Amino acid sequence: MHRRTSQTLMLRLPAWNQWRRQMAVTPLAEVEDSIWLRVLVQILVVVGIVATDIAAETQLSFWAVPLSLIGATWSSYRRRDRNVPVKFCIAIGMLVAMGAFFGQLVGELNDTRLVLSELLIQLQVLHSFDLPRRKDLGYSIIIGLILLGVAATLSQTLAFAPVLLLFLAIALPVLVLDYRSRLGIKGLGVRKGRGTKKLLTTSSPLSPRRLGILFLVVVGLGLLIFTLLPRVPGYQLRTFPVSSPIDFQGKFDGSSIINPGYVSGGKTGNGSGGIGKGAGAGQAENGKPGQLDNTFYYGFNSQINQNLRGEMKPKVVMRVRSQAEGFWRVLAFDRYTGKGWEISRNEQAVTVKRPSWSYQIFLSPPPISGRTKEVVQTYTVVSDMPNLVPALSYPKQLYFPTPEIAVDAEGGLRSPVGLSEDLTYTVISEVPYRDRSLLQKATTNYPQNIQNYYLQVPPQIGEKVRQRTAEILANYNQERIAKSTKPLTSTYEQTLYLAQYLKQRYTIPDNPLGLPFLGEQEDLVETFLFKHQGGYPDHFSTVLTVMLRSIGIPARLVAGFSPGEFNPFTGLYVVRNTDAYAMTEVYFPKYGWFAFDPIPGHPLIPPSIEEYQTFSVLGQFWKWIAGWLPSPVTGLLNNIFGAIFSWLTRAVTWFLALFSQGWLGGLTGLVVATGVSFLGWLGWNQWIVWCRRRWLGKLPPMESLYQQMLQWAAAKGFSKHPAQTPIEYAQVSQQQHSKATAEGIDEICQAYVRWRYGGRSPNLTQLKYRLQNLKKSSHRKDVLQYARMQRK
């Protein structure tokens, strides 16, 4: 009774009756009946969801894929119905998903990509229950493409490549079917075979052969563009990737180093981790012999014992996205112990806290003179590492998940907790340019605090090492004087020569365990220079550091990672534990610390901030080609291509910098872009003309004349169809041209057919004259037509 009363009341409402009448007379929207299009679109969406799962290491596809397929199947069966209740439920579901999104967004303000992708997947699942029209399927295609793009930004390995190729293979027939649907073409272009089986014809746009060729062409063009595309520095936005917050409970003063491979007491931690004041395996026993941990670098501690033997097993430890290649610095040592190093001021680390509402931590790098460049780096930890934070030199801002970090006396960064797998953080460093001319002019007036800590040498070897170092420099200066060349006097040049001298005169043993351990009374530097004539890689850096100190040049040992292997497809540097090593840092008053690498096989100067990976893929391809060429040819081509790419890099960087200089810079950039585009268009047209002339010059005279006539006619809007014979073309021309022009075309076509198929020699002089008359008469007509238009 109550239900009937409510229905009667609703029927009496004018608005309700009007809405019912309007719904009754409104025709249903045109639906999409192509089952193939619906199936392929859903597969495309599934690939996008799976790609996001693979890149972000989530499990969204376990529920999203089945629900999306169920919704698409139901929507296909109900595509001709209005489904009003379902649409209301979808709207409610979308509002709930939006509310959940804003709830998650509060905790992920610094990197919203994954949260947004989850919202998009939820909306797609709801949207799959309402796909009656082609336009609705188009929305699903766009969602799949967006999800693939999100996965591309999240992915750091080539595991994304197969998914990308699969997406492309599915997208090609989807685009073909969508275009045919827009044109109203029914069917797939099939023919009936034996029985009831239908086969795709080779002329069908969906034939496997055609789609396969198109797939290969698209992939080939994509790889070519990817190879030639410049890699300009990124991070134009000021929001950087960083992991979720880490709540650290306990007191943190920055003096402890957590190395999972080396813990206090001289025992290896077997990866379990431990906290100590820098003692490593064998390091607490004052440099006694011991074995290296095969996973963790022995130098990441407040003490480093270089009387250890062994080697590490390669393992990826982190991936780095950086605007410039560099040495990922971890920590430095100031005190030489005779068989290793230690940080003498380990207790002087300073803690820095960040605001509770931001991940950004402001640091205070020491002031330096000279040009610097801001370089942004994002690090993703792949396997557990110590609580030492790698970064380029002179970090000024750190985006890190812990509420505080510490900065030691040598400029190293320390976290309250070890760097665990999947941790992500971002560093902004103000890296100085390595200007050789300025560093050569640097004074030797060192501040007192520099002299106090970076000139220390054990007294028992100090004089002996100083004499050997002075002897090396004196011998070289005598050679230079004999050649009428100025002797080395600047700190920079002396350091360069000593590093090069160690590279060339001393060697690394082939057997990692072949070098004997140091005795209790032996000193590493003394044994290296005067007994073994070499040592392990890090020994070279120790020897150079002590040699420089012995002649009054402040130096320290710095440990960190080389840039690693650059992956041009992901834009990331893949860094392994075996990339860790030590170098020598030298202090230059006013200009700061600069590194030198005396290790054989390494570049003397570490990677500079001026070396961008702008044409990285092309560079990798060229290195592969150069491996097959003789050395002189490789050297010559390296110089040529190096100059070209250097100029292109500077030009691209300058052009992009214009748009960051206000409206005037943006206007200048647009003018430059327009001018370059016009010159490119002009050059392209001239290239086409030259190619045509060259092609015509290689043809037989009659063939060349015939092709010139066809080009002239095509320029006038009368092109020859490939299926037309020359005679058919001449007959059709009588309907398109004047009698005199049609006769000229017919004469040339007839002569061409007689020459081509009858072997008769044409009268080339007469035919050339005929073609010239055709062009002249056409030009006169164009002039007269223009004059008539002007008079009107």
Side-chain angles (χ1 to χ4, degrees):
M1 184 72 182
H2 176 73
R3 182 178 178 183
R4 291 180 180 178
T5 304
S6 61
Q7 288 180 348
T8 304
L9 291 174
M10 291 185 66
L11 289 173
R12 292 178 180 177
L13 294 175
W16 173 260
N17 291 329
Q18 183 179 358
W19 179 80
R20 285 187 51 143
R21 286 193 298 270
Q22 186 176 357
M23 291 293 295
V25 300
T26 301
L28 290 172
E30 185 178 355
V31 299
E32 178 56 57
D33 292 322
S34 174
I35 301 300
W36 275 106
L37 179 58
R38 289 179 172 275
V39 170
L40 290 176
V41 167
Q42 287 309 308
I43 296 176
L44 202 67
V45 172
V46 168
V47 171
I49 296 173
V50 173
T52 306
D53 257 3
I54 293 175
E57 298 181 356
T58 57
Q59 290 80 37
L60 298 174
S61 57
F62 285 109
W63 63 267
V65 171
L67 287 179
S68 183
L69 294 178
I70 292 172
T73 304
W74 186 88
S75 177
S76 177
Y77 283 111
R78 299 290 300 249
R79 63 183 181 273
R80 299 189 183 279
D81 299 331
R82 297 187 185 277
N83 303 317
V84 176
V86 175
K87 292 180 180 180
F88 272 107
C89 293
I90 291 174
I92 295 172
M94 288 185 174
L95 291 175
V96 172
M98 186 66 69
F101 163 73
F102 283 116
Q104 289 181 321
L105 191 63
V106 175
E108 299 288 344
L109 288 176
N110 208 64
D111 190 0
T112 60
R113 292 173 296 176
L114 188 56
V115 180
L116 287 170
S117 65
E118 289 180 4
L119 173 65
L120 204 58
I121 291 173
Q122 293 165 2
L123 296 181
Q124 165 57 29
V125 170
L126 294 171
H127 175 65
S128 65
F129 285 87
D130 185 29
L131 300 173
R133 299 168 297 175
R134 183 184 63 250
K135 182 171 67 173
D136 299 314
L137 295 174
Y139 295 150
S140 294
I141 295 173
I142 298 299
I143 289 175
L145 184 61
I146 294 173
L147 291 175
L148 190 78
V150 172
T153 62
L154 292 172
S155 176
Q156 296 186 348
T157 66
L158 289 179
F160 175 72
V163 180
L164 177 62
L165 294 177
L166 178 62
F167 188 91
L168 175 62
I170 300 171
L172 291 178
V174 166
L175 293 176
V176 172
L177 289 172
D178 181 75
Y179 185 67
R180 290 170 66 87
S181 177
R182 291 173 187 273
L183 297 178
I185 301 175
K186 305 294 183 181
L188 301 177
V190 299
R191 62 178 175 83
K192 290 186 177 180
R194 295 178 181 178
T196 59
K197 187 177 180 180
K198 293 185 177 182
L199 303 173
L200 286 170
T201 65
T202 56
S203 61
S204 170
L206 290 173
S207 68
R209 182 172 178 272
R210 281 197 169 192
L211 289 176
I213 293 174
L214 182 59
F215 177 81
L216 294 177
V217 169
V218 172
V219 172
L221 288 176
L223 290 175
L224 179 63
I225 295 172
F226 183 83
T227 302
L228 301 177
L229 194 67
R231 266 52 170 185
V232 297
Y235 294 112
Q236 303 303 323
L237 299 177
R238 306 307 290 184
T239 300
F240 303 111
V242 62
S243 296
S244 300
I246 298 176
D247 293 327
F248 173 73
Q249 302 295 331
K251 185 179 179 181
F252 173 64
D253 59 6
S255 62
S256 298
I257 294 179
I258 308 169
N259 191 325
Y262 297 96
V263 298
S264 60
K267 299 178 182 179
T268 56
N270 297 325
S272 61
I275 301 176
K277 301 297 183 181
Q283 296 176 23
E285 288 80 9
N286 221 3
K288 288 185 178 181
Q291 293 296 319
L292 290 172
D293 184 273
N294 62 3
T295 303
F296 297 91
Y297 179 61
Y298 75 110
F300 295 155
N301 237 312
S302 57
Q303 293 180 356
I304 174 173
N305 176 14
Q306 294 186 302
N307 199 19
L308 303 179
R309 302 293 182 263
E311 60 181 344
M312 290 187 293
K313 296 179 180 178
K315 182 179 71 170
V316 176
V317 293
M318 63 181 183
R319 300 187 184 96
V320 185
R321 186 182 302 279
S322 175
Q323 291 178 311
E325 186 179 23
F327 179 74
W328 319 124
R329 189 180 187 275
V330 176
L331 80 169
F333 302 89
D334 63 335
R335 183 174 180 81
Y336 176 60
T337 62
K339 294 182 178 63
W341 294 83
E342 66 180 10
I343 301 175
S344 65
R345 296 174 289 172
N346 195 48
E347 307 295 334
Q348 298 182 18
V350 178
T351 58
V352 183
K353 296 184 178 181
R354 63 172 173 84
S356 58
W357 63 85
S358 172
Y359 290 93
Q360 188 177 20
I361 301 174
F362 290 94
L363 307 173
S364 300
I368 56 175
S369 301
R371 274 200 316 147
T372 61
K373 184 172 184 62
E374 183 182 272
V375 180
V376 181
Q377 321 116 60
T378 295
Y379 300 79
T380 299
V381 179
V382 178
S383 61
D384 291 347
M385 293 173 59
N387 65 323
L388 303 171
V389 181
L392 284 180
S393 57
Y394 297 99
K396 67 176 184 178
Q397 294 177 37
L398 174 66
Y399 293 77
F400 204 76
T402 59
E404 59 181 340
I405 57 100
V407 183
D408 65 28
E410 309 302 329
L413 305 178
R414 302 182 184 182
S415 165
V417 296
L419 306 187
S420 57
E421 184 179 352
D422 293 331
L423 184 141
T424 299
Y425 66 93
T426 298
V427 183
I428 303 178
S429 300
E430 199 68 34
V431 184
Y433 281 89
R434 196 183 189 104
D435 191 328
R436 184 169 180 171
S437 60
L438 287 178
L439 296 179
Q440 286 176 337
K441 300 174 183 177
T443 67
T444 56
N445 297 323
Y446 302 113
Q448 190 60 46
N449 66 316
I450 296 294
Q451 297 182 41
N452 291 340
Y453 295 102
Y454 304 110
L455 293 177
Q456 172 265 337
V457 179
Q460 58 269 27
I461 67 165
E463 183 59 25
K464 191 175 182 180
V465 174
R466 187 195 65 78
Q467 290 179 0
R468 179 60 177 151
T469 305
E471 178 186 352
I472 294 171
L473 293 173
N475 291 338
Y476 182 64
N477 283 333
Q478 288 178 3
E479 294 177 5
R480 293 174 64 89
I481 292 172
K483 298 177 182 178
S484 301
T485 308
K486 293 182 179 180
L488 299 179
T489 56
S490 71
T491 298
Y492 190 85
E493 297 299 332
Q494 290 176 346
T495 305
L496 277 179
Y497 177 71
L498 289 174
Q500 189 65 39
Y501 182 89
L502 292 177
K503 281 177 178 286
Q504 296 175 348
R505 302 297 179 91
Y506 296 87
T507 60
I508 299 174
D510 296 331
N511 183 4
L513 300 175
L515 198 67
F517 289 103
L518 296 173
E520 187 174 347
Q521 301 300 323
E522 286 185 302
D523 182 274
L524 171 63
V525 175
E526 183 180 23
T527 305
F528 181 100
L529 289 175
F530 303 105
K531 183 178 179 181
H532 291 162
Q533 295 296 309
Y536 293 123
D538 287 355
H539 295 176
F540 284 78
S541 301
T542 291
V543 172
L544 176 62
T545 305
V546 175
M547 290 177 71
L548 292 172
R549 288 184 171 193
S550 70
I551 58 174
I553 298 176
R556 65 187 179 189
L557 193 78
V558 61
F561 294 97
S562 68
E565 181 183 0
F566 182 72
N567 188 330
F569 293 98
T570 61
L572 299 171
Y573 296 91
V574 181
V575 183
R576 294 173 172 81
N577 56 349
T578 51
D579 292 322
Y581 69 102
M583 287 194 302
T584 298
E585 277 189 340
V586 179
Y587 181 77
F588 296 88
K590 296 195 308 180
Y591 302 110
W593 295 89
F594 287 87
F596 296 82
D597 192 344
I599 301 174
H602 289 199
L604 185 62
I605 303 299
S608 169
I609 57 172
E610 299 170 297
E611 298 173 6
Y612 289 105
Q613 298 283 357
T614 307
F615 296 96
S616 56
V617 182
L618 199 58
Q620 296 286 343
F621 179 73
W622 164 243
K623 288 180 182 178
W624 180 78
I625 295 292
W628 298 87
L629 299 176
S631 298
V633 177
T634 302
L636 176 62
L637 294 178
N638 272 333
N639 292 333
I640 295 174
F641 290 132
I644 294 174
F645 290 137
S646 177
W647 182 85
L648 286 176
T649 300
R650 290 196 297 268
V652 171
T653 305
W654 171 81
F655 175 73
L656 294 176
L658 289 176
F659 293 94
S660 62
Q661 298 176 6
W663 67 270
L664 184 59
L667 182 61
T668 305
L670 292 176
V671 171
V672 171
T674 304
V676 171
S677 301
F678 173 73
L679 292 176
W681 172 81
L682 193 63
W684 175 254
N685 284 339
Q686 293 301 315
W687 168 260
I688 293 176
V689 171
W690 179 80
C691 289
R692 285 177 179 173
R693 289 178 179 175
R694 191 166 178 267
W695 174 64
L696 292 172
K698 294 180 179 180
L699 297 176
M702 184 64 235
E703 177 78 20
S704 175
L705 188 71
Y706 174 69
Q707 292 295 336
Q708 290 181 57
M709 184 271 295
L710 291 181
Q711 290 180 7
W712 166 80
K716 298 300 178 182
F718 183 56
S719 301
K720 175 183 174 299
H721 194 275
Q724 285 181 319
T725 65
I727 301 300
E728 291 173 343
Y729 178 73
Q731 293 173 352
V732 175
S733 68
Q734 295 176 3
Q735 304 172 5
Q736 303 289 333
H737 297 282
S738 63
K739 182 178 180 181
T741 301
E743 289 177 353
I745 294 175
D746 182 70
E747 183 178 350
I748 295 175
C749 290
Q750 294 287 350
Y752 173 73
V753 171
R754 288 193 296 268
W755 166 80
R756 180 70 181 270
Y757 302 105
R760 297 174 58 182
S761 299
N763 187 346
L764 292 174
T765 304
Q766 179 181 350
L767 293 175
K768 288 180 180 178
Y769 178 74
R770 191 71 162 167
L771 181 60
Q772 290 177 358
N773 285 340
L774 287 176
K775 294 179 179 180
K776 290 179 181 178
S777 63
S778 175
H779 179 69
R780 286 196 296 270
K781 289 180 181 178
D782 292 341
V783 172
L784 292 173
Q785 184 177 4
Y786 178 76
R788 292 193 196 99
M789 292 176 62
Q790 291 295 322
R791 285 196 296 271
K792 290 180 180 180

